[in-house]
Amino acid sequence: MNKKAPAPSRLLDLFDRAILRIVQKDNKMPQRQIAEKVNLSAAAVQRRIAAMEKSGVIIRNSAMVDARSVQMGITSIVEVMLTDERLQTVDNAKALFRAAPEVQQCYYVTGGVSFMLVIVSQDITAYEETTRRLFAQNEAVASYRSLIALDRVKVGSDILIP
């Protein structure tokens, strides 16, 4: 089953884009302050945000947590090569990776690798357990390569909004 989100059906105007730039940085900013920054009423900002949530432009409101502050000291970038690229194999891998709480990001990619994952683990022992479960014991995985991050230079999810 492919759980791809539908493309947003809402065309964004300059006000919507300005609001998105603000809420990406601080989604707890009061709507009256957003309204002042974009020269709209607070009610208009509220309606626009609600419409962008409903249409799928805003997909989630969440807090970014510093991994080190919760003792998640290992960040790894993992290249995964599947045994084949058949639809069922790919869909099963997507479902497995999507369901794994350690997988922070997962991309189905081209270029000789099937998937690129970002995995956050408490320590190297926990990371090894994850790799065994997701890759080593998975018959659909032909090979994988782990790159352990030495430093989280930039972490974020903001989208550049033209």
Side-chain angles (χ1 to χ4, degrees):
M1 181 165 87
N2 193 348
K3 293 190 176 189
K4 194 177 246 185
S9 60
R10 178 180 165 80
L11 292 176
L12 303 178
D13 64 17
L14 293 174
F15 290 113
D16 293 329
R17 291 173 184 280
I19 292 167
L20 286 173
R21 285 186 204 99
I22 293 168
V23 298
Q24 277 194 124
K25 299 290 182 203
D26 180 5
N27 75 345
K28 292 186 84 170
M29 181 181 288
Q31 291 180 353
R32 63 179 164 65
Q33 283 184 311
I34 297 170
E36 290 171 11
K37 290 181 180 286
V38 300
N39 296 316
L40 287 173
S41 70
V45 167
Q46 181 181 21
R47 282 192 303 272
R48 285 171 177 271
I49 290 173
M52 287 188 283
E53 289 173 339
K54 184 176 180 184
S55 70
V57 172
I58 297 174
I59 57 174
R60 185 170 92 188
N61 291 294
S62 63
M64 291 202 59
V65 176
D66 176 44
R68 292 173 298 202
S69 69
V70 291
Q71 291 75 46
M72 298 298 277
I74 303 290
T75 298
S76 57
I77 297 88
V78 184
E79 297 176 339
V80 178
M81 178 55 120
L82 297 178
T83 55
D84 62 71
E85 297 290 324
R86 289 180 297 158
L87 186 60
Q88 189 65 44
T89 304
V90 171
D91 285 350
N92 288 344
K94 285 180 181 180
L96 176 67
F97 300 151
R98 191 180 289 120
E102 307 88 347
V103 176
Q104 186 180 50
Q105 297 177 50
C106 176
Y107 301 93
Y108 179 48
V109 299
T110 65
V113 174
S114 303
F115 287 91
M116 294 292 296
L117 285 71
V118 176
I119 296 177
V120 179
S121 305
Q122 184 172 3
D123 54 31
I124 203 68
T125 302
Y127 179 67
E128 181 185 11
E129 291 170 5
T130 299
T131 61
R132 286 175 183 260
R133 186 179 80 250
L134 296 180
F135 315 127
Q137 297 172 350
N138 186 338
E139 291 182 7
V141 173
S143 64
Y144 67 97
R145 181 173 81 138
S146 299
L147 305 165
I148 304 299
L150 298 175
D151 187 13
R152 293 177 138 228
V153 177
K154 181 179 180 182
V155 178
S157 60
D158 291 2
I159 302 296
L160 179 63
I161 301 171

